[in-house]
Amino acid sequence: MKIYKKVCYSLPENIILEMEIMQLMKLTENIKITQSKIIENALMYSLDIFQEELNEFGRIGYKSDNYKNITEQIFTLPSMVVNKLNFYSQELGITQSLLVLASIVLIIEK
């Protein structure tokens, strides 16, 4: 049984809109997916990339300077994912919200 945590991340409105578009695209395939699940999937995809960047550079090469209209939103994620995100946030010196943003952008570009 997975244990879940409610977490709050600050994300740009255009990224939230992208997640809504992803939800609609999945709905056309008769697949219901929540924004929390999208973030979970994005983080699971990105955690290995974060580890590689930590090992190779000691930092992550991502900036959020171009994003405006930041809004806070609550998501429900597995504790394991939240704990790993917290670890990378501390090790890389980057906010968890920025890591979530980077993860979402990575899967959008994929």
Side-chain angles (χ1 to χ4, degrees):
M1 178 173 80
K2 285 186 180 180
I3 298 171
Y4 290 85
K5 285 186 180 179
K6 284 191 177 189
V7 290
C8 183
Y9 299 122
S10 299
L11 297 173
E13 288 180 1
N14 63 323
I15 294 299
I16 293 170
L17 179 63
E18 288 284 344
M19 288 194 300
E20 290 172 356
I21 291 169
M22 293 167 96
Q23 285 178 292
L24 288 173
M25 289 173 59
K26 289 291 185 183
L27 212 67
T28 61
E29 302 169 11
N30 290 327
I31 300 171
K32 288 185 181 181
I33 189 166
T34 64
Q35 288 184 358
S36 293
K37 189 65 177 174
I38 291 170
I39 290 176
E40 179 185 346
N41 292 343
L43 287 169
M44 294 305 293
Y45 172 78
S46 303
L47 289 175
D48 290 338
I49 295 168
F50 295 159
Q51 185 61 49
E52 288 173 15
E53 293 202 10
L54 180 61
N55 291 343
E56 192 169 334
F57 305 111
R59 63 181 172 82
I60 186 171
Y62 193 81
K63 296 182 181 178
S64 65
D65 297 341
N66 297 334
Y67 293 102
K68 297 183 181 1
N69 300 327
I70 305 293
T71 184
E72 288 187 355
Q73 196 160 347
I74 295 174
F75 303 98
T76 304
L77 299 174
S79 295
M80 177 211 51
V81 173
V82 174
N83 293 339
K84 285 184 178 185
L85 183 63
N86 185 44
F87 168 78
Y88 287 112
S89 174
Q90 291 175 355
E91 289 295 312
L92 296 167
I94 296 175
T95 66
Q96 291 182 18
S97 292
L98 183 58
L99 290 175
V100 169
L101 176 60
S103 297
I104 295 168
V105 169
L106 284 171
I107 65 164
I108 289 171
E109 291 175 354
K110 175 186 154 190

